[in-house]
Amino acid sequence: MAESPKRDPRIAQYIKAAAQLKQGQFDLEVPASPLDDVGRLGQALRELARVLELRDREMQKIEKITAQINAGVLLDDILEIVYRDFRELIPYNRIGLSLIEDDGQTVRARWMKTDQPHMTITAGYSSPLAGSSLEEIVRTGQPRILNDLEEYLRHTPQSTSTRAILDEGIRSSLTCPLIANGVPIGFIFFSSVSAHTYSETHSNTFQHVAEQLSIIVEKGRLVSEIATQKAAIEQQNEELRHLSELKDSFLGMAAHDLRTPLTVIQLAVGLMLDYNTPLSDGERTPFLKDVKRQSDHMLALLNDLLDVTEIEAGHLSLNRQPIDLADFLQDATAWHRKLAAPKGTQIILEDVPAGSAPADTLRLRQVVDNLISNAVKYSPPGSQVRVRAERTPTGWRVHVKDQGPGITSKDRQRLFQDFARLSAKPTGGEKSTGLGLAITHRVVAAHGGQIGVDSEPGQGADFWFTLPDDIPAA
């Protein structure tokens, strides 16, 4: 019987080493000499142990970093962590994220960050997916490495995005598809200012990184969308609360300010209808004047309430047309001179430069009427109210200046608020709804202008508003 060949003792050591590798132990004692066939097997085991150890360390880094990233909630927070920490795995000077939108038709840049001086592609940049180089990445689901972008542009001169990042100084790029639950959701771009930064030997790492990021990015995107929707709902709720408070104010205002004039009218009409107490024409006239005055006040209040309601509901529509401002202000001041005559107040219109302003005539008249009537109302009898308009580089600035008591700093803070009642009192016993300046402020804003006041207590008030030449979009 032939004697069996003696077994090489190194074989047993190799078998033991393979078992250790299987258990994740990479520090092996593997003899590789003499350098025969068995020895070369030992060398291969050593090299395998080194590669697996590097891969294991890499995977541990990925898991550690992705765990940190996964702790983020909103998408922007997650991407900031990616930018901060991923250099342990992938070299880059720039990271960008684009999402696939419009039912897979469009790729839109969502976020990017770089350590370079400038970026030419920023958030919002978009391009069609169909026919682009990214479409092939979606189809294969594999990362794409471009290690020489200048060479790539020479072969694809139609690529505007490549030309743009070359202008930023980028010379190589790695594009990883993001696929969540089997559905492509976008791409993450790692870019470097050095050519040949990315190696094909690391494709498995890139793929694993992309798989991890896909799930995390999709989670962050969904959470961000929910947060945006929540913020929109909260804003709508706040607007509804404001409208509810405004409604309550309206009801309170109407109940309080309509009761008194209605009572006066009721008493006056009752006396005039009392046939047991006949009144002469001279005695009846004061009652009729009271009825007229109180009716005018109620009508003004109701008109103001309806105006504010319409504006708050978003129903303020403007019919903007070029108007000759000199003629417009001449008509407005002529009307108010008649109303101010019993008080002895002079309304002076200074020379208005030639030119037109784009505005809604009726609404602009509402603004000017309110400012002039307020100036007359709060100025002492026999004073002056001066109206002037001046051209500015961007449009017009109209002033209404009075000689009244001025505006205190406390009053100025709530001057244009609804139902604002100021410390100054009308000098002729005139009524005020507290809504005129609030409406005026909204109308000026709808025209794209601004309104304000320059005043010191005891020095009168100079109310002004602007009208831009460019008509804002409705």
Side-chain angles (χ1 to χ4, degrees), residues 65 68-86 92 94-99 109-114 178 187-190 213-214 216-218 220-221 224:
I65 294 173
Q68 293 172 344
I69 295 171
N70 206 24
V73 178
L74 299 179
L75 182 55
D76 284 358
D77 297 335
I78 290 171
L79 294 169
E80 286 290 339
I81 299 173
V82 170
Y83 183 84
R84 183 190 69 200
D85 293 342
F86 253 59
Y92 52 82
R94 182 189 197 276
I95 294 182
L97 173 80
S98 292
L99 297 176
R110 169 65 173 76
W111 178 94
M112 58 279 304
K113 191 167 184 178
T114 182
L178 300 178
F187 307 89
I188 188 161
F189 305 91
F190 298 92
L213 284 178
S214 298
I216 297 170
V217 166
E218 179 67 358
R221 185 181 67 83
S224 296

mmCIF file of all heavy atoms in Angstrom, residues 65 68-86 92 94-99 109-114 178 187-190 213-214 216-218 220-221 224:
data_model
loop_
_atom_site.group_PDB
_atom_site.id
_atom_site.type_symbol
_atom_site.label_atom_id
_atom_site.label_comp_id
_atom_site.label_asym_id
_atom_site.label_seq_id
_atom_site.Cartn_x
_atom_site.Cartn_y
_atom_site.Cartn_z
ATOM 1 N N ILE A 65 -21.062 57.770 9.807
ATOM 2 C CA ILE A 65 -21.452 59.059 9.234
ATOM 3 C C ILE A 65 -22.940 59.080 8.899
ATOM 4 O O ILE A 65 -23.648 60.050 9.175
ATOM 5 C CB ILE A 65 -20.599 59.372 7.989
ATOM 6 C CG1 ILE A 65 -19.139 59.587 8.404
ATOM 7 C CG2 ILE A 65 -21.140 60.596 7.264
ATOM 8 C CD1 ILE A 65 -18.196 59.735 7.235
ATOM 9 N N GLN A 68 -24.977 59.695 11.842
ATOM 10 C CA GLN A 68 -25.002 61.106 12.208
ATOM 11 C C GLN A 68 -25.936 61.880 11.291
ATOM 12 O O GLN A 68 -26.709 62.739 11.735
ATOM 13 C CB GLN A 68 -23.589 61.690 12.124
ATOM 14 C CG GLN A 68 -22.623 61.123 13.162
ATOM 15 C CD GLN A 68 -21.193 61.569 12.919
ATOM 16 O OE1 GLN A 68 -20.865 62.043 11.830
ATOM 17 N NE2 GLN A 68 -20.340 61.418 13.908
ATOM 18 N N ILE A 69 -25.865 61.551 9.992
ATOM 19 C CA ILE A 69 -26.718 62.238 9.033
ATOM 20 C C ILE A 69 -28.179 61.937 9.305
ATOM 21 O O ILE A 69 -29.047 62.802 9.248
ATOM 22 C CB ILE A 69 -26.341 61.824 7.589
ATOM 23 C CG1 ILE A 69 -24.929 62.303 7.264
ATOM 24 C CG2 ILE A 69 -27.331 62.392 6.584
ATOM 25 C CD1 ILE A 69 -24.399 61.755 5.969
ATOM 26 N N ASN A 70 -28.449 60.688 9.626
ATOM 27 C CA ASN A 70 -29.831 60.262 9.857
ATOM 28 C C ASN A 70 -30.433 60.943 11.079
ATOM 29 O O ASN A 70 -31.649 60.974 11.245
ATOM 30 C CB ASN A 70 -29.890 58.746 10.027
ATOM 31 C CG ASN A 70 -31.236 58.173 9.640
ATOM 32 O OD1 ASN A 70 -31.970 58.782 8.858
ATOM 33 N ND2 ASN A 70 -31.560 57.025 10.169
ATOM 34 N N ALA A 71 -29.553 61.494 11.931
ATOM 35 C CA ALA A 71 -30.057 62.218 13.104
ATOM 36 C C ALA A 71 -30.642 63.564 12.700
ATOM 37 O O ALA A 71 -31.387 64.175 13.454
ATOM 38 C CB ALA A 71 -28.936 62.424 14.116
ATOM 39 N N GLY A 72 -30.280 64.023 11.492
ATOM 40 C CA GLY A 72 -30.869 65.260 10.994
ATOM 41 C C GLY A 72 -32.331 65.047 10.662
ATOM 42 O O GLY A 72 -32.780 63.929 10.426
ATOM 43 N N VAL A 73 -33.067 66.139 10.626
ATOM 44 C CA VAL A 73 -34.499 66.049 10.362
ATOM 45 C C VAL A 73 -34.836 66.689 9.021
ATOM 46 O O VAL A 73 -35.276 66.012 8.104
ATOM 47 C CB VAL A 73 -35.300 66.722 11.498
ATOM 48 C CG1 VAL A 73 -36.785 66.676 11.192
ATOM 49 C CG2 VAL A 73 -35.027 66.026 12.825
ATOM 50 N N LEU A 74 -34.582 67.982 8.890
ATOM 51 C CA LEU A 74 -34.900 68.671 7.651
ATOM 52 C C LEU A 74 -33.803 68.426 6.614
ATOM 53 O O LEU A 74 -32.639 68.200 6.945
ATOM 54 C CB LEU A 74 -35.050 70.164 7.907
ATOM 55 C CG LEU A 74 -36.172 70.554 8.886
ATOM 56 C CD1 LEU A 74 -36.205 72.061 9.076
ATOM 57 C CD2 LEU A 74 -37.516 70.043 8.408
ATOM 58 N N LEU A 75 -34.186 68.457 5.358
ATOM 59 C CA LEU A 75 -33.265 68.125 4.279
ATOM 60 C C LEU A 75 -32.021 69.008 4.280
ATOM 61 O O LEU A 75 -30.901 68.519 4.122
ATOM 62 C CB LEU A 75 -33.985 68.244 2.930
ATOM 63 C CG LEU A 75 -33.173 67.874 1.688
ATOM 64 C CD1 LEU A 75 -32.601 66.468 1.816
ATOM 65 C CD2 LEU A 75 -34.012 67.999 0.435
ATOM 66 N N ASP A 76 -32.178 70.305 4.474
ATOM 67 C CA ASP A 76 -31.014 71.193 4.469
ATOM 68 C C ASP A 76 -30.053 70.852 5.605
ATOM 69 O O ASP A 76 -28.831 70.910 5.439
ATOM 70 C CB ASP A 76 -31.459 72.649 4.597
ATOM 71 C CG ASP A 76 -32.033 73.183 3.299
ATOM 72 O OD1 ASP A 76 -32.050 72.424 2.310
ATOM 73 O OD2 ASP A 76 -32.465 74.343 3.265
ATOM 74 N N ASP A 77 -30.605 70.482 6.776
ATOM 75 C CA ASP A 77 -29.745 70.091 7.894
ATOM 76 C C ASP A 77 -28.966 68.829 7.552
ATOM 77 O O ASP A 77 -27.770 68.701 7.859
ATOM 78 C CB ASP A 77 -30.594 69.843 9.150
ATOM 79 C CG ASP A 77 -31.305 71.098 9.615
ATOM 80 O OD1 ASP A 77 -30.803 72.200 9.311
ATOM 81 O OD2 ASP A 77 -32.358 70.977 10.259
ATOM 82 N N ILE A 78 -29.632 67.866 6.930
ATOM 83 C CA ILE A 78 -28.983 66.610 6.544
ATOM 84 C C ILE A 78 -27.847 66.877 5.564
ATOM 85 O O ILE A 78 -26.743 66.341 5.699
ATOM 86 C CB ILE A 78 -30.026 65.657 5.928
ATOM 87 C CG1 ILE A 78 -30.990 65.151 7.013
ATOM 88 C CG2 ILE A 78 -29.353 64.478 5.223
ATOM 89 C CD1 ILE A 78 -32.178 64.395 6.475
ATOM 90 N N LEU A 79 -28.094 67.736 4.590
ATOM 91 C CA LEU A 79 -27.081 68.003 3.573
ATOM 92 C C LEU A 79 -25.888 68.757 4.149
ATOM 93 O O LEU A 79 -24.752 68.577 3.689
ATOM 94 C CB LEU A 79 -27.714 68.774 2.415
ATOM 95 C CG LEU A 79 -28.760 67.967 1.626
ATOM 96 C CD1 LEU A 79 -29.524 68.861 0.672
ATOM 97 C CD2 LEU A 79 -28.097 66.817 0.875
ATOM 98 N N GLU A 80 -26.126 69.590 5.135
ATOM 99 C CA GLU A 80 -25.005 70.270 5.796
ATOM 100 C C GLU A 80 -24.094 69.257 6.484
ATOM 101 O O GLU A 80 -22.869 69.383 6.461
ATOM 102 C CB GLU A 80 -25.527 71.282 6.814
ATOM 103 C CG GLU A 80 -26.126 72.545 6.203
ATOM 104 C CD GLU A 80 -25.088 73.440 5.557
ATOM 105 O OE1 GLU A 80 -23.899 73.316 5.893
ATOM 106 O OE2 GLU A 80 -25.474 74.270 4.708
ATOM 107 N N ILE A 81 -24.687 68.228 7.088
ATOM 108 C CA ILE A 81 -23.876 67.183 7.737
ATOM 109 C C ILE A 81 -23.118 66.386 6.689
ATOM 110 O O ILE A 81 -21.950 66.020 6.890
ATOM 111 C CB ILE A 81 -24.776 66.258 8.582
ATOM 112 C CG1 ILE A 81 -25.480 67.063 9.681
ATOM 113 C CG2 ILE A 81 -23.953 65.135 9.215
ATOM 114 C CD1 ILE A 81 -26.517 66.277 10.455
ATOM 115 N N VAL A 82 -23.772 66.083 5.562
ATOM 116 C CA VAL A 82 -23.087 65.386 4.470
ATOM 117 C C VAL A 82 -21.854 66.172 4.044
ATOM 118 O O VAL A 82 -20.750 65.633 3.917
ATOM 119 C CB VAL A 82 -24.042 65.193 3.266
ATOM 120 C CG1 VAL A 82 -23.273 64.685 2.047
ATOM 121 C CG2 VAL A 82 -25.149 64.208 3.619
ATOM 122 N N TYR A 83 -22.028 67.479 3.837
ATOM 123 C CA TYR A 83 -20.906 68.307 3.387
ATOM 124 C C TYR A 83 -19.788 68.339 4.416
ATOM 125 O O TYR A 83 -18.607 68.328 4.075
ATOM 126 C CB TYR A 83 -21.401 69.724 3.097
ATOM 127 C CG TYR A 83 -20.328 70.630 2.555
ATOM 128 C CD1 TYR A 83 -20.019 70.632 1.199
ATOM 129 C CD2 TYR A 83 -19.613 71.478 3.391
ATOM 130 C CE1 TYR A 83 -19.024 71.458 0.687
ATOM 131 C CE2 TYR A 83 -18.618 72.308 2.907
ATOM 132 C CZ TYR A 83 -18.327 72.285 1.551
ATOM 133 O OH TYR A 83 -17.332 73.098 1.051
ATOM 134 N N ARG A 84 -20.168 68.359 5.678
ATOM 135 C CA ARG A 84 -19.167 68.462 6.746
ATOM 136 C C ARG A 84 -18.374 67.172 6.923
ATOM 137 O O ARG A 84 -17.158 67.205 7.147
ATOM 138 C CB ARG A 84 -19.879 68.818 8.057
ATOM 139 C CG ARG A 84 -18.951 69.028 9.243
ATOM 140 C CD ARG A 84 -19.756 69.119 10.519
ATOM 141 N NE ARG A 84 -20.368 67.832 10.862
ATOM 142 C CZ ARG A 84 -21.410 67.704 11.683
ATOM 143 N NH1 ARG A 84 -21.979 68.777 12.207
ATOM 144 N NH2 ARG A 84 -21.885 66.508 11.962
ATOM 145 N N ASP A 85 -19.042 66.020 6.823
ATOM 146 C CA ASP A 85 -18.434 64.759 7.264
ATOM 147 C C ASP A 85 -18.006 63.788 6.171
ATOM 148 O O ASP A 85 -17.255 62.857 6.441
ATOM 149 C CB ASP A 85 -19.406 64.025 8.200
ATOM 150 C CG ASP A 85 -19.613 64.762 9.514
ATOM 151 O OD1 ASP A 85 -18.768 65.622 9.838
ATOM 152 O OD2 ASP A 85 -20.594 64.478 10.210
ATOM 153 N N PHE A 86 -18.470 63.972 4.955
ATOM 154 C CA PHE A 86 -18.225 62.927 3.959
ATOM 155 C C PHE A 86 -16.813 62.916 3.394
ATOM 156 O O PHE A 86 -16.461 62.004 2.638
ATOM 157 C CB PHE A 86 -19.253 63.033 2.832
ATOM 158 C CG PHE A 86 -20.277 61.945 2.884
ATOM 159 C CD1 PHE A 86 -21.078 61.798 3.999
ATOM 160 C CD2 PHE A 86 -20.440 61.053 1.840
ATOM 161 C CE1 PHE A 86 -22.021 60.801 4.079
ATOM 162 C CE2 PHE A 86 -21.386 60.055 1.904
ATOM 163 C CZ PHE A 86 -22.182 59.917 3.029
ATOM 164 N N TYR A 92 -13.815 65.963 -2.090
ATOM 165 C CA TYR A 92 -14.634 66.892 -2.868
ATOM 166 C C TYR A 92 -14.347 68.317 -2.428
ATOM 167 O O TYR A 92 -13.897 68.571 -1.315
ATOM 168 C CB TYR A 92 -16.135 66.604 -2.697
ATOM 169 C CG TYR A 92 -16.595 66.532 -1.267
ATOM 170 C CD1 TYR A 92 -16.886 67.671 -0.530
ATOM 171 C CD2 TYR A 92 -16.728 65.297 -0.627
ATOM 172 C CE1 TYR A 92 -17.286 67.596 0.789
ATOM 173 C CE2 TYR A 92 -17.127 65.210 0.690
ATOM 174 C CZ TYR A 92 -17.416 66.359 1.395
ATOM 175 O OH TYR A 92 -17.818 66.281 2.711
ATOM 176 N N ARG A 94 -16.933 70.451 -3.736
ATOM 177 C CA ARG A 94 -18.299 70.924 -3.931
ATOM 178 C C ARG A 94 -19.241 69.733 -3.873
ATOM 179 O O ARG A 94 -18.926 68.651 -4.381
ATOM 180 C CB ARG A 94 -18.411 71.604 -5.292
ATOM 181 C CG ARG A 94 -19.764 72.214 -5.642
ATOM 182 C CD ARG A 94 -19.730 72.635 -7.118
ATOM 183 N NE ARG A 94 -20.783 73.555 -7.472
ATOM 184 C CZ ARG A 94 -22.011 73.212 -7.798
ATOM 185 N NH1 ARG A 94 -22.357 71.931 -7.769
ATOM 186 N NH2 ARG A 94 -22.907 74.119 -8.144
ATOM 187 N N ILE A 95 -20.404 69.933 -3.239
ATOM 188 C CA ILE A 95 -21.456 68.920 -3.248
ATOM 189 C C ILE A 95 -22.748 69.599 -3.703
ATOM 190 O O ILE A 95 -23.049 70.723 -3.292
ATOM 191 C CB ILE A 95 -21.683 68.290 -1.858
ATOM 192 C CG1 ILE A 95 -20.452 67.487 -1.423
ATOM 193 C CG2 ILE A 95 -22.893 67.361 -1.869
ATOM 194 C CD1 ILE A 95 -20.617 66.806 -0.079
ATOM 195 N N GLY A 96 -23.468 68.919 -4.571
ATOM 196 C CA GLY A 96 -24.760 69.430 -5.018
ATOM 197 C C GLY A 96 -25.808 68.340 -4.962
ATOM 198 O O GLY A 96 -25.495 67.157 -5.136
ATOM 199 N N LEU A 97 -27.037 68.731 -4.719
ATOM 200 C CA LEU A 97 -28.150 67.788 -4.735
ATOM 201 C C LEU A 97 -29.209 68.314 -5.695
ATOM 202 O O LEU A 97 -29.606 69.466 -5.622
ATOM 203 C CB LEU A 97 -28.769 67.638 -3.342
ATOM 204 C CG LEU A 97 -30.050 66.788 -3.305
ATOM 205 C CD1 LEU A 97 -29.705 65.309 -3.310
ATOM 206 C CD2 LEU A 97 -30.910 67.122 -2.090
ATOM 207 N N SER A 98 -29.643 67.442 -6.596
ATOM 208 C CA SER A 98 -30.745 67.780 -7.491
ATOM 209 C C SER A 98 -31.826 66.719 -7.341
ATOM 210 O O SER A 98 -31.523 65.540 -7.144
ATOM 211 C CB SER A 98 -30.269 67.835 -8.951
ATOM 212 O OG SER A 98 -29.387 68.921 -9.153
ATOM 213 N N LEU A 99 -33.075 67.137 -7.435
ATOM 214 C CA LEU A 99 -34.203 66.230 -7.304
ATOM 215 C C LEU A 99 -34.935 66.117 -8.634
ATOM 216 O O LEU A 99 -34.967 67.066 -9.429
ATOM 217 C CB LEU A 99 -35.165 66.719 -6.223
ATOM 218 C CG LEU A 99 -34.590 66.782 -4.798
ATOM 219 C CD1 LEU A 99 -35.618 67.367 -3.844
ATOM 220 C CD2 LEU A 99 -34.141 65.406 -4.324
ATOM 221 N N ALA A 109 -31.983 71.686 -9.366
ATOM 222 C CA ALA A 109 -30.991 71.831 -8.299
ATOM 223 C C ALA A 109 -31.683 72.281 -7.013
ATOM 224 O O ALA A 109 -32.386 73.290 -6.998
ATOM 225 C CB ALA A 109 -29.924 72.841 -8.703
ATOM 226 N N ARG A 110 -31.482 71.508 -5.972
ATOM 227 C CA ARG A 110 -32.162 71.790 -4.693
ATOM 228 C C ARG A 110 -31.218 72.422 -3.666
ATOM 229 O O ARG A 110 -31.615 73.264 -2.871
ATOM 230 C CB ARG A 110 -32.729 70.474 -4.151
ATOM 231 C CG ARG A 110 -33.247 70.510 -2.725
ATOM 232 C CD ARG A 110 -34.450 71.414 -2.590
ATOM 233 N NE ARG A 110 -35.025 71.321 -1.262
ATOM 234 C CZ ARG A 110 -34.527 71.885 -0.166
ATOM 235 N NH1 ARG A 110 -33.405 72.599 -0.240
ATOM 236 N NH2 ARG A 110 -35.142 71.760 0.994
ATOM 237 N N TRP A 111 -29.938 72.015 -3.686
ATOM 238 C CA TRP A 111 -28.999 72.478 -2.659
ATOM 239 C C TRP A 111 -27.588 72.266 -3.174
ATOM 240 O O TRP A 111 -27.308 71.302 -3.893
ATOM 241 C CB TRP A 111 -29.224 71.675 -1.377
ATOM 242 C CG TRP A 111 -28.298 72.000 -0.223
ATOM 243 C CD1 TRP A 111 -28.519 72.873 0.783
ATOM 244 C CD2 TRP A 111 -27.004 71.426 0.044
ATOM 245 N NE1 TRP A 111 -27.470 72.892 1.662
ATOM 246 C CE2 TRP A 111 -26.515 72.004 1.230
ATOM 247 C CE3 TRP A 111 -26.223 70.465 -0.601
ATOM 248 C CZ2 TRP A 111 -25.282 71.668 1.781
ATOM 249 C CZ3 TRP A 111 -24.984 70.128 -0.069
ATOM 250 C CH2 TRP A 111 -24.532 70.726 1.125
ATOM 251 N N MET A 112 -26.688 73.146 -2.821
ATOM 252 C CA MET A 112 -25.278 72.962 -3.146
ATOM 253 C C MET A 112 -24.425 73.806 -2.212
ATOM 254 O O MET A 112 -24.880 74.804 -1.658
ATOM 255 C CB MET A 112 -24.966 73.323 -4.608
ATOM 256 C CG MET A 112 -25.304 74.723 -5.006
ATOM 257 S SD MET A 112 -27.043 74.942 -5.379
ATOM 258 C CE MET A 112 -27.256 73.716 -6.642
ATOM 259 N N LYS A 113 -23.172 73.355 -2.059
ATOM 260 C CA LYS A 113 -22.232 74.074 -1.200
ATOM 261 C C LYS A 113 -20.817 73.818 -1.719
ATOM 262 O O LYS A 113 -20.505 72.715 -2.175
ATOM 263 C CB LYS A 113 -22.376 73.620 0.256
ATOM 264 C CG LYS A 113 -21.628 74.511 1.254
ATOM 265 C CD LYS A 113 -22.049 74.217 2.679
ATOM 266 C CE LYS A 113 -21.388 75.167 3.664
ATOM 267 N NZ LYS A 113 -21.829 74.933 5.054
ATOM 268 N N THR A 114 -19.970 74.818 -1.626
ATOM 269 C CA THR A 114 -18.610 74.700 -2.148
ATOM 270 C C THR A 114 -17.648 75.468 -1.268
ATOM 271 O O THR A 114 -18.047 76.376 -0.526
ATOM 272 C CB THR A 114 -18.544 75.251 -3.592
ATOM 273 O OG1 THR A 114 -17.224 75.084 -4.109
ATOM 274 C CG2 THR A 114 -18.903 76.727 -3.619
ATOM 275 N N LEU A 178 -29.769 58.719 -6.714
ATOM 276 C CA LEU A 178 -30.483 58.488 -5.460
ATOM 277 C C LEU A 178 -31.781 57.755 -5.793
ATOM 278 O O LEU A 178 -32.638 58.283 -6.511
ATOM 279 C CB LEU A 178 -30.776 59.805 -4.751
ATOM 280 C CG LEU A 178 -29.544 60.650 -4.379
ATOM 281 C CD1 LEU A 178 -29.971 61.957 -3.727
ATOM 282 C CD2 LEU A 178 -28.615 59.874 -3.457
ATOM 283 N N PHE A 187 -30.167 63.097 -7.665
ATOM 284 C CA PHE A 187 -28.735 62.833 -7.818
ATOM 285 C C PHE A 187 -27.974 63.646 -6.774
ATOM 286 O O PHE A 187 -28.379 64.752 -6.411
ATOM 287 C CB PHE A 187 -28.247 63.259 -9.205
ATOM 288 C CG PHE A 187 -29.030 62.678 -10.340
ATOM 289 C CD1 PHE A 187 -30.157 63.339 -10.826
ATOM 290 C CD2 PHE A 187 -28.677 61.461 -10.905
ATOM 291 C CE1 PHE A 187 -30.893 62.806 -11.862
ATOM 292 C CE2 PHE A 187 -29.416 60.924 -11.937
ATOM 293 C CZ PHE A 187 -30.530 61.597 -12.420
ATOM 294 N N ILE A 188 -26.857 63.074 -6.318
ATOM 295 C CA ILE A 188 -25.931 63.838 -5.503
ATOM 296 C C ILE A 188 -24.612 63.904 -6.258
ATOM 297 O O ILE A 188 -24.139 62.904 -6.816
ATOM 298 C CB ILE A 188 -25.757 63.240 -4.089
ATOM 299 C CG1 ILE A 188 -24.934 64.202 -3.214
ATOM 300 C CG2 ILE A 188 -25.135 61.851 -4.110
ATOM 301 C CD1 ILE A 188 -25.082 63.954 -1.730
ATOM 302 N N PHE A 189 -24.055 65.110 -6.346
ATOM 303 C CA PHE A 189 -22.859 65.362 -7.145
ATOM 304 C C PHE A 189 -21.702 65.713 -6.216
ATOM 305 O O PHE A 189 -21.790 66.674 -5.444
ATOM 306 C CB PHE A 189 -23.098 66.524 -8.110
ATOM 307 C CG PHE A 189 -24.292 66.363 -9.001
ATOM 308 C CD1 PHE A 189 -25.530 66.849 -8.603
ATOM 309 C CD2 PHE A 189 -24.193 65.729 -10.223
ATOM 310 C CE1 PHE A 189 -26.643 66.717 -9.411
ATOM 311 C CE2 PHE A 189 -25.302 65.589 -11.044
ATOM 312 C CZ PHE A 189 -26.536 66.077 -10.645
ATOM 313 N N PHE A 190 -20.625 64.943 -6.300
ATOM 314 C CA PHE A 190 -19.372 65.268 -5.622
ATOM 315 C C PHE A 190 -18.417 65.787 -6.693
ATOM 316 O O PHE A 190 -18.221 65.133 -7.728
ATOM 317 C CB PHE A 190 -18.782 64.045 -4.936
ATOM 318 C CG PHE A 190 -19.656 63.463 -3.863
ATOM 319 C CD1 PHE A 190 -20.561 62.449 -4.154
ATOM 320 C CD2 PHE A 190 -19.591 63.928 -2.561
ATOM 321 C CE1 PHE A 190 -21.374 61.909 -3.175
ATOM 322 C CE2 PHE A 190 -20.404 63.393 -1.566
ATOM 323 C CZ PHE A 190 -21.289 62.380 -1.877
ATOM 324 N N LEU A 213 -27.624 57.310 1.328
ATOM 325 C CA LEU A 213 -28.094 58.682 1.217
ATOM 326 C C LEU A 213 -29.497 58.767 0.636
ATOM 327 O O LEU A 213 -30.275 59.656 0.995
ATOM 328 C CB LEU A 213 -27.138 59.508 0.356
ATOM 329 C CG LEU A 213 -25.829 59.938 1.014
ATOM 330 C CD1 LEU A 213 -24.965 60.699 0.024
ATOM 331 C CD2 LEU A 213 -26.100 60.807 2.231
ATOM 332 N N SER A 214 -29.828 57.864 -0.278
ATOM 333 C CA SER A 214 -31.140 57.903 -0.916
ATOM 334 C C SER A 214 -32.251 57.849 0.119
ATOM 335 O O SER A 214 -33.206 58.644 0.086
ATOM 336 C CB SER A 214 -31.294 56.739 -1.902
ATOM 337 O OG SER A 214 -30.357 56.826 -2.934
ATOM 338 N N ILE A 216 -32.016 58.465 3.373
ATOM 339 C CA ILE A 216 -31.957 59.597 4.297
ATOM 340 C C ILE A 216 -32.463 60.873 3.634
ATOM 341 O O ILE A 216 -33.228 61.647 4.224
ATOM 342 C CB ILE A 216 -30.513 59.788 4.804
ATOM 343 C CG1 ILE A 216 -30.071 58.551 5.592
ATOM 344 C CG2 ILE A 216 -30.406 61.033 5.671
ATOM 345 C CD1 ILE A 216 -28.598 58.531 5.927
ATOM 346 N N VAL A 217 -32.039 61.104 2.378
ATOM 347 C CA VAL A 217 -32.465 62.308 1.655
ATOM 348 C C VAL A 217 -33.972 62.297 1.435
ATOM 349 O O VAL A 217 -34.652 63.319 1.596
ATOM 350 C CB VAL A 217 -31.713 62.424 0.312
ATOM 351 C CG1 VAL A 217 -32.382 63.444 -0.596
ATOM 352 C CG2 VAL A 217 -30.264 62.824 0.550
ATOM 353 N N GLU A 218 -34.515 61.148 1.073
ATOM 354 C CA GLU A 218 -35.960 61.064 0.862
ATOM 355 C C GLU A 218 -36.711 61.352 2.162
ATOM 356 O O GLU A 218 -37.721 62.060 2.174
ATOM 357 C CB GLU A 218 -36.330 59.681 0.334
ATOM 358 C CG GLU A 218 -37.817 59.468 0.096
ATOM 359 C CD GLU A 218 -38.391 60.319 -1.026
ATOM 360 O OE1 GLU A 218 -37.644 61.122 -1.619
ATOM 361 O OE2 GLU A 218 -39.599 60.196 -1.304
ATOM 362 N N GLY A 220 -35.575 63.229 4.637
ATOM 363 C CA GLY A 220 -35.441 64.660 4.886
ATOM 364 C C GLY A 220 -36.325 65.488 3.981
ATOM 365 O O GLY A 220 -36.897 66.501 4.402
ATOM 366 N N ARG A 221 -36.453 65.058 2.715
ATOM 367 C CA ARG A 221 -37.305 65.794 1.777
ATOM 368 C C ARG A 221 -38.764 65.761 2.226
ATOM 369 O O ARG A 221 -39.464 66.773 2.227
ATOM 370 C CB ARG A 221 -37.173 65.202 0.380
ATOM 371 C CG ARG A 221 -37.934 65.978 -0.696
ATOM 372 C CD ARG A 221 -37.777 65.320 -2.049
ATOM 373 N NE ARG A 221 -38.440 64.033 -2.087
ATOM 374 C CZ ARG A 221 -39.752 63.880 -2.331
ATOM 375 N NH1 ARG A 221 -40.513 64.941 -2.527
ATOM 376 N NH2 ARG A 221 -40.294 62.688 -2.379
ATOM 377 N N SER A 224 -39.202 67.881 5.259
ATOM 378 C CA SER A 224 -39.160 69.296 4.889
ATOM 379 C C SER A 224 -40.477 69.733 4.258
ATOM 380 O O SER A 224 -40.983 70.830 4.526
ATOM 381 C CB SER A 224 -37.998 69.556 3.924
ATOM 382 O OG SER A 224 -36.758 69.310 4.552
#
